[in-house]
Amino acid sequence: MIRRALVAAALAATALVALPAGPAQARACALGYQCVTTYYSDSTGSQVVGGRFEGCDGSFYEWGVRTVHQDWSETPCS
């Protein structure tokens, strides 16, 4: 009984470790705003590796890679 519990716990722990992390998600841009998200290679913010622009008309442009190290800004549409 204890052996089964240990095997089950080991399998569960292995499954959690083996799951890959998904890409970082950009913050949602509110209606009536233009938003820019910049992604960096690490927490120092010294190397830009990707970005996303969301325009006032609903258009968007993405390039590069998304990471957890990001800077986000929004500007009201006029």
Side-chain angles (χ1 to χ4, degrees), residues 48-64:
V48 175
V49 294
R52 177 181 174 98
F53 170 82
E54 297 175 74
C56 292
D57 60 357
S59 63
F60 71 92
Y61 173 73
E62 290 182 304
W63 65 274

Side-chain angles (χ1 to χ4, degrees), residues 25-73:
Q25 297 299 315
R27 184 172 164 186
C29 190
L31 290 175
Y33 286 85
Q34 171 179 295
C35 301
V36 176
T37 306
T38 306
Y39 298 100
Y40 300 96
S41 62
D42 57 28
S43 61
T44 64
S46 60
Q47 183 177 4
V48 175
V49 294
R52 177 181 174 98
F53 170 82
E54 297 175 74
C56 292
D57 60 357
S59 63
F60 71 92
Y61 173 73
E62 290 182 304
W63 65 274
V65 295
R66 289 186 265 172
T67 68
V68 297
H69 309 290
Q70 55 186 282
D71 181 35
W72 183 82
S73 66

